[in-house]
Amino acid sequence: MSRVGKFLGLVLLVAAGVYRAAQAGDISLSQSLDRSEIPYEEKAVLEIVVSWHGNQAAYRFDRPLQPKLDKLRVREFSSTISSEGSGTDEVTTKRFRYALVPTSSGTGRIEPMVINYASWPDSLPGELVTEAMTLSIAPARKVAKPASLTENLRILLAVAAGIVVVGGVGLGLFIRARNKRPKPVVQTPAELFLERLEQLRTESSGDLKKFQTGLYKQLLWYLSAQFGLQFSNEPVEEIVKRCESVGMPTAQKAAIGNWLLQADRVKFSPVEPAPGETVRLESEIRRFFETITPTRNVED
């Protein structure tokens, strides 16, 4: 290939943005980010496309996609679905479009997302997993605006009025504020476990065995913090049996016991895990513990 051809190919690659695609059977997933660098004051567009052969009712998506972002937030979201062709040639495309804006400068990150679906009419479940993406965010531009005479006068009047008002009650407010101590926020073991799970997911970097090893320790920590159970080197069956003696809810006992058994087996399994298994497992555990984490009131 000539140098001109290589250069044109590179230009087309940059213009197309960041693109990743994964396919599972008859349903496929692709993702794209319209730029790799962005000024702080502008936006980037993330698009996730799911397509399959068949009509729009062939697959069902029950859970909305909620991207987990670092240094970014979703300003706009839209989704569309369309079909082309008919009969055996019909192809359906579902698009999820996110307009992302920066919250701080640096390297913005879009974490992997698990897309759950079910086929129709047999309702067989399945899932697709997106890949992580990054976006370089420039620092915000500082715009200096000179204050007018009217604005300066307004500020002076506001300061003078504030001194008059605050001077009358300042001493009392000071004493009251000094004596008033903020109410400490006490996190439940489930809330602390979710924080530990987030740190474990980051440290494992997609390594399922490393994630399972850490998960085993964190689940034992939760049983100790929530139910006062202490363990040394008991087998998993003995741990589950001891959970019955502290009145643990049946759903928790079944879920935690199953995760402990999986973690214990995976540590010694020679079989390589499927791609995205770590993300899927972490998402499953997080959803379960979020259901047993109490919602705090505004006063808390």
Side-chain angles (χ1 to χ4, degrees):
M1 181 182 293
S2 65
R3 293 184 177 179
V4 174
K6 292 181 179 180
F7 176 75
L8 290 176
L10 178 60
V11 172
L12 291 175
L13 179 62
V14 173
V18 183
Y19 179 85
R20 298 288 187 269
Q23 184 166 348
D26 196 40
I27 185 170
S28 65
L29 166 70
S30 66
Q31 63 188 85
S32 63
L33 194 59
D34 68 338
R35 55 177 70 185
S36 59
E37 298 180 354
I38 180 176
Y40 186 85
E41 296 76 16
E42 297 184 14
K43 68 178 181 179
V45 177
L46 169 66
E47 188 174 63
I48 299 174
V49 181
V50 181
S51 60
W52 62 85
H53 289 280
N55 57 37
Q56 297 182 9
Y59 291 96
R60 184 174 67 254
F61 302 85
D62 295 331
R63 293 177 58 86
L65 298 185
Q66 297 180 345
K68 188 172 184 180
L69 309 171
D70 181 28
K71 297 186 178 180
L72 295 164
R73 67 176 178 85
V74 177
R75 188 172 71 182
E76 299 173 3
F77 166 73
S78 63
S79 64
T80 60
I81 187 168
S82 60
S83 298
E84 295 182 357
S86 61
T88 57
D89 296 327
E90 183 174 4
V91 177
T92 300
T93 302
K94 186 173 181 64
R95 300 177 182 272
F96 303 89
R97 187 177 183 276
Y98 301 86
L100 307 178
V101 293
T103 58
S104 62
S105 61
T107 300
R109 182 174 174 84
I110 305 169
E111 299 292 347
M113 289 178 281
V114 177
I115 304 175
N116 296 298
Y117 64 86
S119 61
W120 186 89
D122 47 16
S123 296
L124 293 177
E127 66 178 26
L128 300 169
V129 182
T130 66
E131 295 187 16
M133 306 178 78
T134 58
L135 179 65
S136 179
I137 305 170
R141 293 192 297 266
K142 296 182 179 180
V143 180
K145 182 180 178 181
S148 65
L149 180 60
T150 303
E151 291 174 337
N152 288 333
L153 181 59
R154 187 182 300 115
I155 293 173
L156 290 174
L157 292 175
V159 171
I163 292 175
V164 172
V165 174
V166 174
V169 295
L171 181 60
L173 291 177
F174 173 76
I175 296 175
R176 182 178 178 182
R178 184 184 60 183
N179 295 331
K180 182 179 179 180
R181 296 182 178 179
K183 181 180 179 181
V185 177
V186 179
Q187 290 182 292
T188 65
E191 291 173 327
L192 293 172
F193 175 85
L194 286 173
E195 293 182 357
R196 289 166 172 249
L197 183 67
E198 172 71 16
Q199 182 179 359
L200 174 60
R201 183 188 63 79
T202 302
E203 293 176 350
S204 62
S205 302
D207 188 330
L208 180 61
K209 290 188 177 182
K210 185 176 181 180
F211 179 81
Q212 289 280 30
T213 300
L215 176 62
Y216 190 94
K217 297 178 181 178
Q218 295 306 326
L219 288 173
L220 293 185
W221 173 88
Y222 172 75
L223 293 176
S224 175
Q226 180 66 41
F227 300 99
L229 294 173
Q230 300 296 328
F231 304 102
S232 54
N233 294 316
E234 295 90 339
V236 176
E237 292 78 8
E238 179 62 24
I239 295 174
V240 175
K241 185 176 180 181
R242 290 184 59 186
C243 290
E244 299 176 355
S245 64
V246 294
M248 182 184 300
T250 303
Q252 287 193 44
K253 182 181 67 177
I256 293 176
N258 182 53
W259 291 325
L260 286 171
L261 285 171
Q262 289 183 26
D264 190 58
R265 293 168 182 167
V266 167
K267 289 188 297 184
F268 307 100
S269 174
V271 180
E272 288 296 326
E277 181 62 18
T278 302
V279 175
R280 185 204 65 77
L281 179 59
E282 189 269 351
S283 178
E284 173 186 327
I285 298 172
R286 176 170 296 279
R287 288 198 301 269
F288 178 85
F289 273 85
E290 285 175 346
T291 62
I292 62 176
T293 301
T295 302
R296 297 187 179 277
N297 297 325
V298 176
E299 298 81 46
D300 294 339

